[in-house]
């Protein structure tokens, strides 16, 4: 199995595979829930990026990373008013 078999995104830049860009596989899981309190008001909650998977992009091989980002997870909630 090669690096190219495990990638989620691949961009070929010519005939030299050392110039190609790859993105490492990642999974993002989000969760949202809501509960209708009345005809116009609902309670809601969201959790985004539960898995906290990093985004990594590299050139040629995994030994040459060019971008690595950790976004963390985000939680929010509140009341929603619908007209």
């Amino acid at each position: 199995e090669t690096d190219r078999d495990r990638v989620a995104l691949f961009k070929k830049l010519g005939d030299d595979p050392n110039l190609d860009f790859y993105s490492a596989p990642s999974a993002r899981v989000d969760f949202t829930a809501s509960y209708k309190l009345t005809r116009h008001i609902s309670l809601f909650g969201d959790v985004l990026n539960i898995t906290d998977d990093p985004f990594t992009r590299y050139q040629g091989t995994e030994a040459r990373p060019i971008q690595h980002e950790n976004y963390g997870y985000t939680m929010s909630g509140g009341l929603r008013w619908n007209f």
Side-chain angles (χ1 to χ4, degrees):
E1 184 175 283
T2 67
D3 289 340
R4 288 174 192 81
D5 296 330
R6 293 190 303 267
V7 297
L9 181 65
F10 168 73
K11 184 172 184 180
K12 185 170 177 61
L13 297 176
D15 293 331
D16 185 355
N18 290 315
L19 299 176
D20 296 341
F21 289 105
Y22 304 89
S23 293
S26 64
R28 179 178 167 154
V29 177
D30 299 336
F31 175 79
T32 187
S34 64
Y35 180 76
K36 195 171 196 175
L37 298 172
T38 69
R39 183 175 166 200
H40 296 286
I41 300 174
S42 58
L43 184 65
F44 75 92
D46 298 313
V47 182
L48 306 177
N49 196 23
I50 295 170
T51 56
D52 193 18
D53 237 7
F55 173 77
T56 305
R57 190 165 67 164
Y58 51 96
Q59 187 173 13
T61 70
E62 291 178 4
R64 293 174 44 200
I66 58 173
Q67 182 180 6
H68 183 83
E69 298 178 19
N70 285 322
Y71 298 106
Y73 65 90
T74 304
M75 296 188 314
S76 64
L79 293 173
R80 185 173 287 133
W81 176 270
N82 296 315
F83 296 100

